[in-house]
Amino acid sequence: MELNLSLFAYGGYSHTVDQQLPGLNEPLKAVSFKLPRRSDRLTQLCLLGLHQTPGGDSFKAGTHLVLASGDANLNSTILNTEQIFDSGTLPNPIGFINTVNNSTAYHLCVSLGIQGQAISVSRDHCSLEAGLQIAASLQQSDPSPILLGTVDEIPNDPQQHRQRLNMSSTRPLAEGSFWFHCGHPQQQESPIATIEYCGPMRDGRGVGDFLRERQISHHLLGDLLRESALRDNQLPGERLVTKSQGHYLTQNADYLQRWLDGARPGERLGMLNGTEGSERLTVTLILKR
């Protein structure tokens, strides 16, 4: 899918989680946004990430919001489920509302004072890529600015979460949110980069030729692909070596921001990602202006 989606600013907030879930009250004191009443952890992580993004203090009223997540509202969902099945009682209304798919996007729109479309998406390891495709679709019908965010949270009991994921008790976890100010290339502001393409490839053997045709300078393999047969392919461009803070599904957004920090004008990144249990790859191409 050809996107031609311009990127004007980016930033985020994240941290590694070991045995105890860090509190967010202290870092939230620096946030200028008004916190929604009884906001949950997912919403708070989003606002912390926006606070670290240049130009994140004010938005045009017509700005659209696209929020992508690997697992969405884990804490609210787990707490409500435990209350229903373990205690045999109904959840409180606020706790239940926070489990609704688009509730976090709604809270963010109210806090930021924006009135554009609010769309949430969750797609395992490819939620960033899904968000990019949605943002490009919005751009085709409306040239308004687009705020694209990715967010993951860790439940209140990190060790129990590792057990759910069949992970070692010592493996680090991470959580946070990363944000991209996107929009139409005809906007007056000069873009930092352009996301040119994002789409699936069902045959991994042809991905090298595809990247060579696009003249990429760097390539990045998502975490699921690092141990796959694809790692032995002769992919063009310099391999982008990344260091993970810990397991979280949307960390490709973190990797993309790190590349943008160091890339020189004209360099191209081919970012390859995959979904567990599927042979289909998602390829994203980004040009640094």
Side-chain angles (χ1 to χ4, degrees), residues 101-162:
N101 290 341
N102 216 28
S103 61
T104 301
Y106 166 77
H107 290 315
L108 292 175
C109 288
V110 172
S111 295
L112 303 178
I114 58 178
Q115 301 169 7
Q117 295 192 54
I119 302 174
S120 298
V121 61
S122 177
R123 191 191 287 177
D124 198 4
H125 291 76
C126 293
S127 52
L128 167 64
E129 292 82 351
L132 288 171
Q133 292 175 332
I134 292 171
S137 297
L138 287 173
Q139 176 189 267
Q140 291 176 5
S141 58
D142 185 349
S144 299
I146 301 166
L147 188 58
L148 168 62
T150 67
V151 58
D152 275 317
E153 67 172 352
I154 300 300
N156 288 323
D157 188 338
Q159 194 56 34
Q160 188 181 67
H161 191 52
R162 290 186 181 90

Side-chain angles (χ1 to χ4, degrees), residues 9 43 51 76 92 97 101 123 167 172 184 186 192 195 209 235 238 240-241 246-247 254 261 284 286:
T43 302
H51 177 68
S76 296
N92 66 69
I97 288 172
N101 290 341
R123 191 191 287 177
M167 287 182 175
H184 200 279
Q186 294 180 355
I192 295 171
I195 295 101
D209 293 337
L235 298 177
E238 181 181 342
L240 184 63
V241 179
H247 171 82
D254 180 13
D261 285 342
T284 309
I286 302 99

Side-chain angles (χ1 to χ4, degrees), residues 38-204:
R38 298 182 68 177
S39 58
D40 62 4
R41 190 175 186 87
L42 198 73
T43 302
Q44 293 171 359
L45 286 169
C46 287
L47 292 174
L48 285 169
L50 281 165
H51 177 68
Q52 299 292 331
T53 306
D57 293 331
S58 62
F59 299 93
K60 295 181 179 179
T63 299
H64 303 303
L65 176 71
V66 180
L67 183 62
S69 180
D71 288 323
N73 301 64
L74 272 177
N75 269 304
S76 296
T77 301
I78 291 171
L79 288 172
N80 279 277
T81 303
E82 288 177 343
Q83 190 170 349
I84 293 171
F85 291 100
D86 294 346
S87 305
T89 58
L90 295 176
N92 66 69
I94 297 295
F96 174 75
I97 288 172
N98 284 338
T99 66
V100 176
N101 290 341
N102 216 28
S103 61
T104 301
Y106 166 77
H107 290 315
L108 292 175
C109 288
V110 172
S111 295
L112 303 178
I114 58 178
Q115 301 169 7
Q117 295 192 54
I119 302 174
S120 298
V121 61
S122 177
R123 191 191 287 177
D124 198 4
H125 291 76
C126 293
S127 52
L128 167 64
E129 292 82 351
L132 288 171
Q133 292 175 332
I134 292 171
S137 297
L138 287 173
Q139 176 189 267
Q140 291 176 5
S141 58
D142 185 349
S144 299
I146 301 166
L147 188 58
L148 168 62
T150 67
V151 58
D152 275 317
E153 67 172 352
I154 300 300
N156 288 323
D157 188 338
Q159 194 56 34
Q160 188 181 67
H161 191 52
R162 290 186 181 90
Q163 293 173 5
R164 291 190 192 98
L165 300 173
N166 294 318
M167 287 182 175
S168 163
S169 60
T170 59
R171 182 171 179 184
L173 302 172
E175 65 177 4
S177 69
F178 296 90
W179 291 89
F180 303 91
H181 293 199
C182 304
H184 200 279
Q186 294 180 355
Q187 290 188 22
Q188 294 181 351
E189 185 180 357
S190 179
I192 295 171
T194 300
I195 295 101
E196 298 181 338
Y197 178 92
C198 182
M201 294 193 69
R202 299 187 182 276
D203 183 4

Side-chain angles (χ1 to χ4, degrees), residues 205-271:
R205 292 172 296 182
V207 68
D209 293 337
F210 178 82
L211 296 178
R212 274 185 281 272
E213 291 172 3
R214 298 287 180 136
Q215 298 180 326
I216 72 155
S217 59
H218 295 78
H219 65 265
L220 163 66
L221 296 182
D223 282 5
L224 266 182
L225 302 179
R226 290 183 184 180
E227 304 303 322
S228 69
L230 188 65
R231 66 176 179 173
D232 297 323
N233 285 17
Q234 295 298 315
L235 298 177
E238 181 181 342
R239 171 77 179 273
L240 184 63
V241 179
T242 56
K243 183 178 180 181
S244 173
Q245 297 186 76
H247 171 82
Y248 62 115
L249 293 176
T250 60
Q251 59 189 327
N252 261 20
D254 180 13
Y255 298 154
L256 172 55
Q257 294 200 2
R258 293 188 210 177
W259 178 77
L260 288 167
D261 285 342
R264 296 186 295 271
E267 292 187 336
R268 294 176 180 268
L269 171 67
M271 188 166 65

